[in-house]
Amino acid sequence: MSFAGWLIGGLVGATFGVAGFTFFYAKGASYLGHDAAACANCHVMQAQYDGWLQGSHRAVAACNDCHAPHALLPKLTVKAVNGFRHSLMFTTGWFPEPIRITRMNRGVTEAACRHCHEEIVEAIDAGTSISHRPAARAASPHETVPSAREPIACIRCHHGVGHVDFAPLGSFDQEASRG
Amino acid sequence: VNIFERKQEAKNPFYRVVELTEETEDPAVWGKNFPMQYDGYRRTVDQVRTRFGGSEAVPRTPTKADPRAVVAQSRLAEDPRLKRMWAGYAFSVDFREERGHAFMLQDQMFTERQHAAKQPGTCLHCHASMVVPYRRAGGGDLVKGFEKLNPLPYEEARKGVKHPVACIDCHDPQSMALRVTRPGFMEGMRVFKASQGIQNYDVNAMATRQEMRSYVCGQCHVEYYFKGPEKRLTYPWHLGLQVERITAYYDSVGHKDWTHAETGAPVLKAQHPEFEMWSQGIHARSGVACADCHMPYTRVGAMKISDHHVQSPLLNISRACQTCHRWPEEELKARAEANQERVHSMRNEAMDALLDLLDDLKSAKAAGDTLKAFREAQQFQRRAQFYLDFVEAENSSGFHAPQEALRILGQSIDLSRRGQLALRPMRAERGGR
Amino acid sequence: VNIFERKQEAKNPFYRVVELTEETEDPAVWGKNFPMQYDGYRRTVDQVRTRFGGSEAVPRTPTKADPRAVVAQSRLAEDPRLKRMWAGYAFSVDFREERGHAFMLQDQMFTERQHAAKQPGTCLHCHASMVVPYRRAGGGDLVKGFEKLNPLPYEEARKGVKHPVACIDCHDPQSMALRVTRPGFMEGMRVFKASQGIQNYDVNAMATRQEMRSYVCGQCHVEYYFKGPEKRLTYPWHLGLQVERITAYYDSVGHKDWTHAETGAPVLKAQHPEFEMWSQGIHARSGVACADCHMPYTRVGAMKISDHHVQSPLLNISRACQTCHRWPEEELKARAEANQERVHSMRNEAMDALLDLLDDLKSAKAAGDTLKAFREAQQFQRRAQFYLDFVEAENSSGFHAPQEALRILGQSIDLSRRGQLALRPMRAERGGR
Ligand SMILES: [Ca+2]
Ligand SMILES: [Ca+2]
């Protein structure tokens, strides 16, 4: 996809998250299709592309909504890193299969989930924000209160949202036709 | 699919209507700030039966001694063999299917086991909201209060205990963060981690959030015994969490729960080792916590909260299982029950084997067999029985760790049969016919 | 299994360099059209050992009788108890760890079991490319040829058999579609499906593609026996695939493989019931086929093909497991081995229990015990031994269905011990001292 495309996506995502969503949502089809297609240019991305097509987010989120930070600068860096890594690996063919998301990019997707679902999941992170600590410690001199606990990873439970995931989390393919 | 409306409703999920402190014991007050969690919490009075779990509401006519109008079905009636396994112990008098948290205090107060034996204050550790009572008794110090109440007669210790497990027992009133408030578990984890080379483990300071989602349950859903005259609640994890290690620990300290009435063997009772069994299973290994299945997230309007209606996940499969397993509900139910059935049928064989051993021990006693062989057979009974009970008392009917449960039952069968063999020399060994 | 990779794979270009027909037996010729699959196929000569599987290359000095310069390690040497379990049967003479497909024909020709007993032509069914030989012998009819070769002496039947299992045995030369070419499996599935109420099941016409990805393996990786003087290869699935059903079938037709040399019991030998065990596991239940793990899709340049280097998946974890399980390789290996270790340790206990029974039977024989109890104990041996062997002979060391394997071993232990008890009346039953 064009640099301009990323820029728009990035800008929108960065400046006004909510409006950013309407933008995707309204023109979804064309915009998303475009972005996704760009990624799917690489046949090695085909499986994930197909998975995304069948995923629950097809209508609401394209590749970069989950795989690029929702702030402009980091986004460009990540794109640069990934862009380089991908083309290098693609041309050299030096990459492990099945392809697995890297730590850095897993962090990016995790942040993406929270960016769009901030409100609905706010409750489940109760008791994990540092701000509460000091007060808590003061109030209970006799037990140590949990130190700020890391938030809980979305994809531990929802890891099929981006890409329909087959076994063990999916119903297996019952092709009747043979050969 | 309009995310906006949701966002509107969702603005600030916590209405801090009241200020919560370490003195706020009544869950109804916490419920003012967190009405959705409170609603779920109150639904633990529901009684629904599943194939192997849940519980059945059995009506009864209240008496002065036991005012309960409804109890859970009797496990002793379901399988009378249990009475022989526990012959001479309070459990052979009254043992019922467990039910929701709302009942924990009354079920403990009114079980006939209270009359069959004099019970200590220690019992309360896992059947009530104890943060405030322990602190009060300990002059502000939780552990001191725990030590103070343990040795008291149950009735006396119970004075000033008001609620079943409540918000304050699992949550910090300021931050709502999970916390462990039970001395038994704090010490249990300390000795267990020490056995793994980690010294001075402090669960509240060192556990991750995901671990806490299981540890708050591990405070009570564990095997235990009362140590010494102080009746100190002790979790036998000094050598590890597996049944072999626990047995080894009990042997090392020469502990027995009672003397078996039929055989005179120094036997042990296993009690709800959910935490220990879970720790041996594939779900624990995959980082799946008790709360993931027993308190799955549930959507209420624009918010997602933990379902505080703690219950059998098989009564809530879509939320408890389907986020991770995309099989149809019926299929997931069938898979869980298939695991449970395998374990249950082997549990029945192990039970038969144990009763055969009891028969042999009785008739050997009658025939006045040589002491040596008899003692040996009693030791076999001690282990065979504890292994079987470890699976029998584990309330998931094996689901928490099917392979481990089957392995333990296989051992139990072997031990019971070898106990019989110890009493039955071959003719050769007996010397001719 | 990842449907998308399949779709891609379907897009693979396909160069018809040579025309393949039902007469094209030599895999090298097929290799001209499908060089990548052929390369993998040829790599089945590799010998690498895993914790419980794979195989070890043991050098030996070739003799005229046995020209092999390398064999797999002897299982009898690894566990001498096997010799007693199989006392009086050819397996007690020579039994080795199995290795890659490339060796199947020579390993069968040169095993000492060939000298220990006179083997029939039936053996070839699973150790060679038989499509052409069967057709030739049957005048074009596969099944007729099968019936013709079965009763012949092995040496004679082997004339004209050239290759280990080859492309033509699993593929249609025109469409490359998978196909079943083994009469034993066709008939086995017919009787099995009939037991489930499905009449005249025709595997080649009625199986789905995903099922075929397991059925081509089920042609050989199954329990079997030779029926009647025609030595017809028969899969004992008439009542079902579970060990209880198979035993019930053998009892119903009064079959025994041999008479145990130590005890005279009419015993059975279980052989590689991979298909039967797999069918009881969670993977089969989830639709995971043999080929998914043993022939995973692998990328060659821009193409995805099925890895025809059929081997232990633990030697290829990233492709065999990680397409479905998002755990690191080391963790997946550890999980598989944890399952195998549980099964292996219980297998050892079951083996000890069986040997104790053999001892008792021997000494009872010596003491000339009453026929009734002795017969009873022999029957216990028959079942205990077959159950144990069913897990022992299953080559995944329990991985294919850990819970089922443990359940079976628990039964085996109980049966062995009860066999001993049958020979050891309590003093009471014996009437005083
Ligand atoms: Ca219950
Ligand atoms: Ca092997």
Side-chain angles (χ1 to χ4, degrees), chain B residues 232-245:
Chain B
R232 190 184 194 86
L233 180 64
T234 309
Y235 299 172
W237 302 341
H238 308 63
L239 305 175
L241 297 177
Q242 277 194 311
V243 70
E244 284 85 354
R245 305 313 183 82

mmCIF file of all heavy atoms in Angstrom, chain B residues 232-245:
data_model
loop_
_atom_site.group_PDB
_atom_site.id
_atom_site.type_symbol
_atom_site.label_atom_id
_atom_site.label_comp_id
_atom_site.label_asym_id
_atom_site.label_seq_id
_atom_site.Cartn_x
_atom_site.Cartn_y
_atom_site.Cartn_z
ATOM 1 N N ARG B 232 -2.797 -25.978 64.059
ATOM 2 C CA ARG B 232 -2.422 -25.027 63.001
ATOM 3 C C ARG B 232 -2.762 -25.619 61.636
ATOM 4 O O ARG B 232 -2.402 -26.753 61.327
ATOM 5 C CB ARG B 232 -0.933 -24.712 63.066
ATOM 6 C CG ARG B 232 -0.537 -23.563 62.151
ATOM 7 C CD ARG B 232 0.964 -23.309 62.155
ATOM 8 N NE ARG B 232 1.262 -22.003 61.536
ATOM 9 C CZ ARG B 232 1.248 -20.866 62.201
ATOM 10 N NH1 ARG B 232 0.957 -20.868 63.499
ATOM 11 N NH2 ARG B 232 1.509 -19.723 61.572
ATOM 12 N N LEU B 233 -3.492 -24.840 60.828
ATOM 13 C CA LEU B 233 -3.839 -25.281 59.486
ATOM 14 C C LEU B 233 -2.561 -25.384 58.652
ATOM 15 O O LEU B 233 -1.802 -24.412 58.563
ATOM 16 C CB LEU B 233 -4.795 -24.302 58.828
ATOM 17 C CG LEU B 233 -5.228 -24.665 57.407
ATOM 18 C CD1 LEU B 233 -6.021 -25.961 57.403
ATOM 19 C CD2 LEU B 233 -6.052 -23.533 56.796
ATOM 20 N N THR B 234 -2.298 -26.566 58.083
ATOM 21 C CA THR B 234 -1.054 -26.780 57.343
ATOM 22 C C THR B 234 -1.323 -27.454 56.000
ATOM 23 O O THR B 234 -2.076 -28.428 55.931
ATOM 24 C CB THR B 234 -0.099 -27.671 58.173
ATOM 25 O OG1 THR B 234 0.026 -27.119 59.492
ATOM 26 C CG2 THR B 234 1.272 -27.758 57.515
ATOM 27 N N TYR B 235 -0.741 -26.893 54.946
ATOM 28 C CA TYR B 235 -0.842 -27.491 53.617
ATOM 29 C C TYR B 235 0.424 -28.320 53.392
ATOM 30 O O TYR B 235 1.523 -27.786 53.477
ATOM 31 C CB TYR B 235 -0.997 -26.410 52.543
ATOM 32 C CG TYR B 235 -2.248 -25.553 52.702
ATOM 33 C CD1 TYR B 235 -2.458 -24.434 51.907
ATOM 34 C CD2 TYR B 235 -3.220 -25.858 53.655
ATOM 35 C CE1 TYR B 235 -3.605 -23.639 52.044
ATOM 36 C CE2 TYR B 235 -4.364 -25.078 53.792
ATOM 37 C CZ TYR B 235 -4.539 -23.970 52.995
ATOM 38 O OH TYR B 235 -5.664 -23.191 53.135
ATOM 39 N N PRO B 236 0.281 -29.634 53.142
ATOM 40 C CA PRO B 236 1.412 -30.576 53.145
ATOM 41 C C PRO B 236 2.275 -30.520 51.888
ATOM 42 O O PRO B 236 2.477 -31.530 51.222
ATOM 43 C CB PRO B 236 0.702 -31.926 53.265
ATOM 44 C CG PRO B 236 -0.568 -31.727 52.510
ATOM 45 C CD PRO B 236 -0.979 -30.292 52.778
ATOM 46 N N TRP B 237 2.748 -29.353 51.529
ATOM 47 C CA TRP B 237 3.469 -29.162 50.271
ATOM 48 C C TRP B 237 4.987 -29.079 50.440
ATOM 49 O O TRP B 237 5.697 -28.668 49.517
ATOM 50 C CB TRP B 237 2.964 -27.889 49.583
ATOM 51 C CG TRP B 237 1.494 -27.883 49.285
ATOM 52 C CD1 TRP B 237 0.668 -28.975 49.219
ATOM 53 C CD2 TRP B 237 0.673 -26.742 49.011
ATOM 54 N NE1 TRP B 237 -0.617 -28.572 48.913
ATOM 55 C CE2 TRP B 237 -0.642 -27.201 48.774
ATOM 56 C CE3 TRP B 237 0.919 -25.367 48.922
ATOM 57 C CZ2 TRP B 237 -1.703 -26.351 48.470
ATOM 58 C CZ3 TRP B 237 -0.132 -24.510 48.615
ATOM 59 C CH2 TRP B 237 -1.431 -25.008 48.391
ATOM 60 N N HIS B 238 5.489 -29.488 51.602
ATOM 61 C CA HIS B 238 6.910 -29.328 51.901
ATOM 62 C C HIS B 238 7.808 -30.044 50.910
ATOM 63 O O HIS B 238 8.947 -29.631 50.686
ATOM 64 C CB HIS B 238 7.187 -29.822 53.321
ATOM 65 C CG HIS B 238 6.288 -29.205 54.341
ATOM 66 N ND1 HIS B 238 4.920 -29.387 54.341
ATOM 67 C CD2 HIS B 238 6.559 -28.373 55.381
ATOM 68 C CE1 HIS B 238 4.377 -28.720 55.354
ATOM 69 N NE2 HIS B 238 5.353 -28.088 55.989
ATOM 70 N N LEU B 239 7.321 -31.127 50.296
ATOM 71 C CA LEU B 239 8.164 -31.874 49.340
ATOM 72 C C LEU B 239 7.645 -31.733 47.913
ATOM 73 O O LEU B 239 8.268 -32.220 46.976
ATOM 74 C CB LEU B 239 8.216 -33.355 49.741
ATOM 75 C CG LEU B 239 8.670 -33.650 51.177
ATOM 76 C CD1 LEU B 239 8.569 -35.131 51.492
ATOM 77 C CD2 LEU B 239 10.092 -33.146 51.402
ATOM 78 N N GLY B 240 6.508 -31.075 47.754
ATOM 79 C CA GLY B 240 5.948 -30.920 46.413
ATOM 80 C C GLY B 240 4.430 -31.058 46.432
ATOM 81 O O GLY B 240 3.842 -31.335 47.479
ATOM 82 N N LEU B 241 3.806 -30.873 45.259
ATOM 83 C CA LEU B 241 2.339 -30.886 45.186
ATOM 84 C C LEU B 241 1.767 -32.219 44.715
ATOM 85 O O LEU B 241 0.568 -32.443 44.780
ATOM 86 C CB LEU B 241 1.856 -29.787 44.222
ATOM 87 C CG LEU B 241 2.168 -28.332 44.591
ATOM 88 C CD1 LEU B 241 1.674 -27.396 43.495
ATOM 89 C CD2 LEU B 241 1.543 -27.966 45.931
ATOM 90 N N GLN B 242 2.626 -33.125 44.190
ATOM 91 C CA GLN B 242 2.116 -34.392 43.680
ATOM 92 C C GLN B 242 1.766 -35.333 44.820
ATOM 93 O O GLN B 242 2.333 -35.258 45.902
ATOM 94 C CB GLN B 242 3.151 -35.045 42.773
ATOM 95 C CG GLN B 242 3.113 -34.506 41.350
ATOM 96 C CD GLN B 242 3.902 -35.389 40.422
ATOM 97 O OE1 GLN B 242 5.046 -35.728 40.731
ATOM 98 N NE2 GLN B 242 3.321 -35.774 39.300
ATOM 99 N N VAL B 243 0.843 -36.257 44.546
ATOM 100 C CA VAL B 243 0.352 -37.141 45.602
ATOM 101 C C VAL B 243 1.490 -37.922 46.274
ATOM 102 O O VAL B 243 1.512 -38.095 47.492
ATOM 103 C CB VAL B 243 -0.744 -38.095 45.064
ATOM 104 C CG1 VAL B 243 -0.159 -39.130 44.110
ATOM 105 C CG2 VAL B 243 -1.515 -38.746 46.194
ATOM 106 N N GLU B 244 2.496 -38.352 45.496
ATOM 107 C CA GLU B 244 3.619 -39.086 46.095
ATOM 108 C C GLU B 244 4.336 -38.212 47.118
ATOM 109 O O GLU B 244 4.699 -38.669 48.204
ATOM 110 C CB GLU B 244 4.644 -39.511 45.035
ATOM 111 C CG GLU B 244 4.238 -40.687 44.167
ATOM 112 C CD GLU B 244 3.393 -40.278 42.971
ATOM 113 O OE1 GLU B 244 3.015 -39.081 42.878
ATOM 114 O OE2 GLU B 244 3.101 -41.158 42.144
ATOM 115 N N ARG B 245 4.544 -36.935 46.750
ATOM 116 C CA ARG B 245 5.278 -36.039 47.638
ATOM 117 C C ARG B 245 4.485 -35.757 48.898
ATOM 118 O O ARG B 245 5.036 -35.698 49.992
ATOM 119 C CB ARG B 245 5.581 -34.724 46.915
ATOM 120 C CG ARG B 245 6.315 -34.894 45.607
ATOM 121 C CD ARG B 245 7.498 -35.859 45.751
ATOM 122 N NE ARG B 245 8.249 -35.989 44.526
ATOM 123 C CZ ARG B 245 9.190 -35.111 44.148
ATOM 124 N NH1 ARG B 245 9.447 -34.054 44.898
ATOM 125 N NH2 ARG B 245 9.847 -35.311 43.025
#
